[in-house]
Amino acid sequence: MIDADENVFRKEKVTKEDDGYYFAIVNSIKSNITKVTVHSLFIKDPGPEQNLIEGASLKLQYDLRKGGFKLNFFKDGMYLAEKVNVAENIFRKDKVTMDDQGDYFAEVNSIKSNITKVTVDAMFTSSFDQIYCIEGEELQLKCSVYSASIQVDWFKDNSNRKKADKIERNESISIDHNGKDHVLTIQNTKITDSGQYIVIAGNVRKQFPVTVNGNLK
């Protein structure tokens, strides 16, 4: 925008594309050249990529050249309303799921940060299907996790109690693992072994619905 009365060139809300060399001309006479350099408002962003394991926490921190701005956060172009630490310009999300994968960026005064691509690897790499067995048979529950270093615990959800019971080894129950693969084995099953079996790894829990049918013999 040019103010003809004041011979002033103005541009509101400059961007990096406004970098360059500027001069004025009148009657074919050029002014001296003015070099304009536009520094990014964002001096630090989370980087181009973040890879997380399901159940971990996502933290995207942005540093600005000037204070006093409130950032808005977006994922795949959609505004995010999750709680953020405005004072520190941080976006946080606890216990991420596979749905949290996407392209994230921050925006202030129509100025966007670089995009950070967030990918989430599944904690469990096995399926969790309904399991049936007959009373007296051996029952095996198997799962595989992302890494051999992850702690895995087994529980049984008894409907008459508020808290699931942690399953421990005994003469009829064995709990084993080989690297990423884990297995819970119950010998000589009873009808009372039916129920929801819960396996927890990190901050992620999955359930095995188990039905033990009576032996009709």
Side-chain angles (χ1 to χ4, degrees):
M1 177 183 294
I2 298 176
D3 189 325
D5 292 333
E6 298 180 7
N7 294 318
V8 175
F9 172 80
R10 290 189 177 91
K11 176 71 183 293
E12 302 289 340
K13 297 182 179 180
V14 294
T15 68
K16 289 292 292 178
E17 294 178 353
D18 294 310
D19 274 353
Y21 296 89
Y22 291 74
F23 61 88
I25 298 178
V26 58
N27 294 335
S28 301
I29 302 172
K30 293 182 180 180
S31 68
N32 293 326
I33 292 174
T34 299
K35 181 180 179 181
V36 174
T37 302
V38 180
H39 297 288
S40 174
L41 179 61
F42 291 89
I43 59 176
K44 183 180 179 182
D45 59 41
E49 290 184 317
Q50 281 201 22
N51 179 251
L52 303 171
I53 300 175
E54 184 182 11
S57 295
L58 172 63
K59 178 182 176 181
L60 302 176
Q61 183 169 357
Y62 301 83
D63 292 338
L64 302 180
R65 194 170 297 276
K66 295 175 62 178
F69 292 104
K70 180 181 177 181
L71 292 180
N72 292 315
F73 299 92
F74 295 81
K75 171 180 174 281
D76 296 332
M78 301 294 291
Y79 174 70
L80 293 169
E82 279 88 348
K83 293 180 180 179
V84 297
N85 188 327
V86 176
E88 297 181 5
N89 296 320
I90 296 173
F91 172 81
R92 290 189 177 93
K93 179 70 183 293
D94 293 327
K95 297 181 181 180
V96 297
T97 68
M98 306 303 290
D99 292 336
D100 292 311
Q101 296 186 111
D103 294 332
Y104 289 75
F105 64 88
E107 183 178 277
V108 57
N109 291 345
S110 301
I111 300 171
K112 295 180 180 179
S113 70
N114 293 323
I115 288 175
T116 298
K117 185 177 184 64
V118 174
T119 56
V120 180
D121 292 318
M123 175 64 78
F124 290 96
T125 57
S126 53
S127 60
F128 294 84
D129 301 318
Q130 172 80 46
I131 294 178
Y132 298 92
C133 75
I134 297 174
E135 185 178 15
E137 291 183 342
E138 177 185 274
L139 170 65
Q140 278 199 335
L141 306 180
K142 299 178 180 180
C143 73
S144 298
V145 292
Y146 176 83
S147 168
S149 64
I150 295 172
Q151 175 70 32
V152 171
D153 293 309
W154 298 87
F155 298 82
K156 186 170 188 288
D157 187 8
N158 292 308
S159 58
N160 61 335
R161 297 183 183 178
K162 293 182 179 180
K163 186 177 180 181
D165 296 325
K166 184 175 181 180
I167 299 173
E168 305 286 356
R169 293 182 177 88
N170 58 37
E171 59 183 15
S172 63
I173 297 176
S174 62
I175 300 174
D176 302 292
H177 72 91
N178 181 13
K180 303 176 184 179
D181 301 321
H182 296 254
V183 58
L184 168 70
T185 303
I186 300 176
Q187 304 289 341
N188 192 26
T189 54
K190 304 177 180 62
I191 298 295
T192 54
D193 289 320
S194 296
Q196 293 289 337
Y197 287 77
I198 301 165
V199 56
I200 297 178
N203 290 320
V204 181
R205 60 182 280 162
K206 298 289 186 180
Q207 292 192 106
F208 286 98
V210 172
T211 300
V212 180
N213 293 311
N215 192 332
L216 300 179
K217 290 183 180 180

